[in-house]
Amino acid sequence: MKKLSFIVISAILLSGWASSTAAETDRVSDRVIISFKEEIDFELLKEMGAEIHEEFDAISAVSVTLPDKATIQAASSDSSIEYIEENSLVKAAAQNTTWGYRTIKANTASSLGYTGKGVKIAIIDSGINSKHPDLKVAGGVSKVADSSAFTDRNGHGTHVAGVIGAQNNSIGTVGVAPDSQLYSVKVLSANGIGTLEGVVSGIQWAIDQKVDIINMSLTTVNNDQSLRDITKKAYDAGILIVAASGNERESGLYSDVLYPARFPSVIAVGSVSQLNRLSYFSNSGPSQELVAPGENILSSFVDSLTTSQEDYAISEGTSVASPFAAGTFAQYMEAYPHLSNKQLRETIKRAAMDLGTAGRDNKYGNGLVQSLGTKAALFPDLKNNVWYSEPIQKVFDRNIITGLSDGTFRPGATITRAEAITMLGRALNLNKTSTTHHFSDVAKDSFAAGYINSAYELGYIKGVTATKFRPNDPIKRGDMAMILQAAYGLTSTQQTAFTDVPKSMYYYEAIQAAYSSNAVTGYQDNTFRPKNPITRAENAKFMSNLLK
């Protein structure tokens, strides 16, 4: 059976970090604090062979190292000594944010309230230590043959989980999306090795659980068809899939990222240093989509030698970069819950900080992942509290408008005649399946065909000629007023003297009727600009004015 493994470049760093910390702890724990009933007896301390480290005059005490335990026992019976106390360890009641957390501006998004609330993230890895006090695990499954529990005996999955979801509390560190729901999908054993079957099964489980995001900080050199198929199936189901690009850059063996990151349905994430340079280990290539912090990152961990479960470690690798991206997607998913996975993917690509060669490149992809910097409007390219905010929201809530395929709304873009009739059809609940076609230039399988057919039959619209509708032409403001007049039966009760709408023009009565009904408005210079193409925001405003 084919093996699937991840590359842990951090192994030396982890062991070095742990041993240096242990050595420092041992030196400090050898000390004791001796408190005297009256003044500090330095003569007695000298006789005991004490090495004095610190004097505490306020309590007549000293911090010392004594030659051996026998000396400590003998000193404890001296009549001048109040007590002898071990130099116990204390921990800071505070948490630290990593440089990576700040670099992607997760702190800004968090301050705006975007912490991944309601987003389900499956971490397909070595499991997660569900007993870690800095993590909350919503559930999980093991796909490792010799393990029925999804807990972590390796540490890799727990480290990944902390980057995404470490709690915002008084300990350890904080994740990019601490309020997301983490699911532990164990596919790697204690030695960091898994099987193709296990990973495919893990992704299938995530699909069945209807998760929103999958993170895979693992790689394989094999272009396995089953893995390609299952990731596409997950993506088609609306799941965002994020994976590590791999850590073989120094070997020079690969001209692109490894699998599964290389699959089109998966977002490949490389690693950068604190200088925003591609990490010495990070793979890159044509499939590189984003980069994220991946060096010297503190996160939760598993240490079999401790019993407190409150373990942390510093690690590096694209395995660490991938969860930074996954957590950022969770923030955006919370901010824009109506956007599809494909729209969110495009949104984050646009928001990325460009690195290297201007524009997308094979080294950094679209750039460094960036969290939200401002309070989200309905769509990423809209602003809050401007003239179009309420109208667009109103027609969106009625399912009259949707965003474009890239997740934007483009309020200043023009709207086509086909799009205008589609919105009108949704507002009036016209028959969108009408198959009586009247215009030769409207494709029968067009998204607007049924609405155009229905609107024509009801007398709401006319063709440009007897057989042509020109569905892709921008619709003009004057023509839109005529359609609204016909569709809603608008009548004129008052006249307004738009300086650019003479009575001789064919759209004069329609504009007057639409204006009288508060359906349309002009500009501050008392013009209507009837020959100008209507923008998407303007059309939303007109449509919202007619909604009851």
Short mmCIF file of all heavy atoms in Angstrom, two decimals, residues 205-232:
data_model
loop_
_atom_site.label_atom_id
_atom_site.label_comp_id
_atom_site.label_asym_id
_atom_site.label_seq_id
_atom_site.Cartn_x
_atom_site.Cartn_y
_atom_site.Cartn_z
N TRP A 205 -15.10 11.31 5.40
CA TRP A 205 -15.75 11.59 6.69
C TRP A 205 -16.05 13.08 6.81
O TRP A 205 -17.13 13.47 7.27
CB TRP A 205 -14.85 11.13 7.82
CG TRP A 205 -15.46 11.28 9.19
CD1 TRP A 205 -16.24 10.38 9.84
CD2 TRP A 205 -15.36 12.41 10.06
NE1 TRP A 205 -16.62 10.87 11.07
CE2 TRP A 205 -16.10 12.12 11.23
CE3 TRP A 205 -14.71 13.65 9.97
CZ2 TRP A 205 -16.20 13.02 12.29
CZ3 TRP A 205 -14.82 14.54 11.03
CH2 TRP A 205 -15.57 14.23 12.17
N ALA A 206 -15.10 13.92 6.40
CA ALA A 206 -15.30 15.37 6.48
C ALA A 206 -16.45 15.81 5.58
O ALA A 206 -17.24 16.69 5.95
CB ALA A 206 -14.01 16.09 6.09
N ILE A 207 -16.56 15.21 4.41
CA ILE A 207 -17.68 15.52 3.51
C ILE A 207 -19.00 15.14 4.17
O ILE A 207 -19.96 15.90 4.16
CB ILE A 207 -17.52 14.79 2.16
CG1 ILE A 207 -16.29 15.29 1.39
CG2 ILE A 207 -18.78 14.96 1.30
CD1 ILE A 207 -15.96 14.48 0.16
N ASP A 208 -19.03 13.94 4.75
CA ASP A 208 -20.25 13.45 5.39
C ASP A 208 -20.66 14.34 6.57
O ASP A 208 -21.86 14.48 6.86
CB ASP A 208 -20.06 12.02 5.88
CG ASP A 208 -19.87 11.03 4.74
OD1 ASP A 208 -20.26 11.36 3.60
OD2 ASP A 208 -19.31 9.94 4.98
N GLN A 209 -19.68 14.93 7.25
CA GLN A 209 -19.97 15.79 8.40
C GLN A 209 -20.31 17.22 7.97
O GLN A 209 -20.60 18.07 8.81
CB GLN A 209 -18.75 15.84 9.34
CG GLN A 209 -18.38 14.49 9.93
CD GLN A 209 -19.52 13.83 10.67
OE1 GLN A 209 -20.14 14.46 11.52
NE2 GLN A 209 -19.78 12.57 10.36
N LYS A 210 -20.23 17.48 6.67
CA LYS A 210 -20.55 18.80 6.11
C LYS A 210 -19.70 19.90 6.75
O LYS A 210 -20.20 20.95 7.14
CB LYS A 210 -22.04 19.11 6.28
CG LYS A 210 -22.96 18.21 5.47
CD LYS A 210 -24.41 18.58 5.65
CE LYS A 210 -25.32 17.85 4.67
NZ LYS A 210 -25.21 16.38 4.72
N VAL A 211 -18.40 19.64 6.81
CA VAL A 211 -17.50 20.67 7.32
C VAL A 211 -17.37 21.78 6.28
O VAL A 211 -17.73 21.61 5.11
CB VAL A 211 -16.11 20.09 7.68
CG1 VAL A 211 -16.23 18.95 8.68
CG2 VAL A 211 -15.36 19.65 6.43
N ASP A 212 -16.85 22.90 6.72
CA ASP A 212 -16.68 24.04 5.81
C ASP A 212 -15.28 24.12 5.22
O ASP A 212 -15.10 24.56 4.09
CB ASP A 212 -16.97 25.34 6.57
CG ASP A 212 -18.37 25.38 7.14
OD1 ASP A 212 -19.32 25.30 6.35
OD2 ASP A 212 -18.52 25.46 8.37
N ILE A 213 -14.29 23.71 6.02
CA ILE A 213 -12.88 23.83 5.61
C ILE A 213 -12.16 22.54 6.00
O ILE A 213 -12.41 21.97 7.06
CB ILE A 213 -12.21 25.03 6.30
CG1 ILE A 213 -12.89 26.34 5.90
CG2 ILE A 213 -10.71 25.09 5.98
CD1 ILE A 213 -12.41 27.55 6.70
N ILE A 214 -11.27 22.11 5.13
CA ILE A 214 -10.36 21.00 5.43
C ILE A 214 -8.93 21.52 5.38
O ILE A 214 -8.55 22.20 4.42
CB ILE A 214 -10.52 19.85 4.40
CG1 ILE A 214 -11.86 19.13 4.59
CG2 ILE A 214 -9.37 18.85 4.51
CD1 ILE A 214 -12.16 18.09 3.52
N ASN A 215 -8.15 21.20 6.40
CA ASN A 215 -6.72 21.52 6.39
C ASN A 215 -5.93 20.22 6.34
O ASN A 215 -6.14 19.32 7.16
CB ASN A 215 -6.31 22.32 7.62
CG ASN A 215 -4.84 22.72 7.55
OD1 ASN A 215 -4.50 23.75 6.98
ND2 ASN A 215 -3.96 21.90 8.12
N MET A 216 -5.01 20.14 5.37
CA MET A 216 -4.13 18.98 5.26
C MET A 216 -2.68 19.42 5.26
O MET A 216 -2.15 19.84 4.23
CB MET A 216 -4.46 18.19 3.99
CG MET A 216 -5.79 17.47 4.05
SD MET A 216 -6.07 16.31 2.69
CE MET A 216 -6.40 17.46 1.35
N SER A 217 -2.06 19.37 6.41
CA SER A 217 -0.64 19.69 6.53
C SER A 217 0.17 18.42 6.32
O SER A 217 0.93 17.99 7.19
CB SER A 217 -0.35 20.33 7.89
OG SER A 217 -0.93 21.61 7.97
N LEU A 218 0.00 17.82 5.19
CA LEU A 218 0.68 16.58 4.83
C LEU A 218 0.92 16.57 3.33
O LEU A 218 0.26 17.31 2.58
CB LEU A 218 -0.14 15.36 5.27
CG LEU A 218 -1.66 15.35 5.01
CD1 LEU A 218 -1.96 15.02 3.56
CD2 LEU A 218 -2.35 14.37 5.92
N THR A 219 1.86 15.75 2.90
CA THR A 219 2.20 15.72 1.47
C THR A 219 2.49 14.31 1.01
O THR A 219 2.80 13.41 1.80
CB THR A 219 3.46 16.57 1.18
OG1 THR A 219 4.57 16.02 1.89
CG2 THR A 219 3.27 18.01 1.56
N THR A 220 2.39 14.12 -0.28
CA THR A 220 2.82 12.89 -0.93
C THR A 220 3.35 13.27 -2.31
O THR A 220 2.92 14.26 -2.90
CB THR A 220 1.66 11.88 -1.07
OG1 THR A 220 2.11 10.73 -1.80
CG2 THR A 220 0.48 12.48 -1.82
N VAL A 221 4.28 12.47 -2.83
CA VAL A 221 4.82 12.73 -4.17
C VAL A 221 3.95 12.09 -5.24
O VAL A 221 4.17 12.31 -6.43
CB VAL A 221 6.26 12.19 -4.29
CG1 VAL A 221 7.18 12.89 -3.30
CG2 VAL A 221 6.30 10.68 -4.08
N ASN A 222 2.96 11.30 -4.81
CA ASN A 222 2.15 10.54 -5.76
C ASN A 222 0.91 11.29 -6.20
O ASN A 222 0.17 11.84 -5.39
CB ASN A 222 1.72 9.22 -5.12
CG ASN A 222 2.90 8.37 -4.71
OD1 ASN A 222 3.80 8.13 -5.50
ND2 ASN A 222 2.91 7.93 -3.46
N ASN A 223 0.68 11.28 -7.51
CA ASN A 223 -0.52 11.86 -8.09
C ASN A 223 -1.61 10.79 -8.11
O ASN A 223 -2.00 10.27 -9.14
CB ASN A 223 -0.23 12.36 -9.51
CG ASN A 223 -1.43 13.00 -10.18
OD1 ASN A 223 -2.48 13.22 -9.55
ND2 ASN A 223 -1.31 13.27 -11.47
N ASP A 224 -2.10 10.45 -6.92
CA ASP A 224 -3.07 9.37 -6.79
C ASP A 224 -4.44 9.81 -7.28
O ASP A 224 -4.97 10.84 -6.84
CB ASP A 224 -3.16 8.91 -5.34
CG ASP A 224 -1.84 8.31 -4.85
OD1 ASP A 224 -1.40 7.32 -5.46
OD2 ASP A 224 -1.27 8.83 -3.87
N GLN A 225 -5.05 9.01 -8.14
CA GLN A 225 -6.34 9.37 -8.72
C GLN A 225 -7.44 9.43 -7.66
O GLN A 225 -8.30 10.31 -7.70
CB GLN A 225 -6.72 8.37 -9.81
CG GLN A 225 -7.96 8.77 -10.60
CD GLN A 225 -7.79 10.07 -11.37
OE1 GLN A 225 -6.76 10.27 -12.03
NE2 GLN A 225 -8.75 10.97 -11.29
N SER A 226 -7.42 8.50 -6.71
CA SER A 226 -8.46 8.49 -5.69
C SER A 226 -8.39 9.73 -4.82
O SER A 226 -9.42 10.29 -4.43
CB SER A 226 -8.36 7.24 -4.82
OG SER A 226 -7.08 7.14 -4.23
N LEU A 227 -7.17 10.20 -4.53
CA LEU A 227 -7.01 11.41 -3.73
C LEU A 227 -7.45 12.63 -4.53
O LEU A 227 -8.09 13.55 -4.00
CB LEU A 227 -5.55 11.56 -3.29
CG LEU A 227 -5.24 12.69 -2.31
CD1 LEU A 227 -6.08 12.58 -1.04
CD2 LEU A 227 -3.74 12.70 -1.95
N ARG A 228 -7.12 12.65 -5.81
CA ARG A 228 -7.57 13.73 -6.70
C ARG A 228 -9.10 13.76 -6.76
O ARG A 228 -9.71 14.82 -6.65
CB ARG A 228 -6.99 13.55 -8.10
CG ARG A 228 -7.45 14.60 -9.11
CD ARG A 228 -6.94 14.26 -10.51
NE ARG A 228 -5.50 14.45 -10.61
CZ ARG A 228 -4.93 15.59 -10.99
NH1 ARG A 228 -5.68 16.65 -11.30
NH2 ARG A 228 -3.61 15.67 -11.06
N ASP A 229 -9.70 12.59 -6.89
CA ASP A 229 -11.15 12.52 -7.03
C ASP A 229 -11.87 12.96 -5.75
O ASP A 229 -12.87 13.68 -5.82
CB ASP A 229 -11.58 11.09 -7.39
CG ASP A 229 -11.17 10.69 -8.80
OD1 ASP A 229 -10.82 11.58 -9.59
OD2 ASP A 229 -11.20 9.47 -9.11
N ILE A 230 -11.36 12.52 -4.59
CA ILE A 230 -12.07 12.82 -3.34
C ILE A 230 -11.92 14.30 -2.97
O ILE A 230 -12.85 14.90 -2.43
CB ILE A 230 -11.58 11.92 -2.19
CG1 ILE A 230 -12.57 11.94 -1.02
CG2 ILE A 230 -10.18 12.30 -1.72
CD1 ILE A 230 -13.86 11.22 -1.29
N THR A 231 -10.78 14.91 -3.29
CA THR A 231 -10.64 16.35 -3.01
C THR A 231 -11.54 17.17 -3.92
O THR A 231 -12.13 18.16 -3.50
CB THR A 231 -9.18 16.81 -3.17
OG1 THR A 231 -8.67 16.41 -4.45
CG2 THR A 231 -8.29 16.22 -2.09
N LYS A 232 -11.68 16.73 -5.18
CA LYS A 232 -12.60 17.42 -6.09
C LYS A 232 -14.04 17.27 -5.61
O LYS A 232 -14.84 18.21 -5.67
CB LYS A 232 -12.46 16.89 -7.51
CG LYS A 232 -13.34 17.63 -8.52
CD LYS A 232 -13.17 17.11 -9.92
CE LYS A 232 -13.95 17.95 -10.93
NZ LYS A 232 -15.39 18.01 -10.63
#
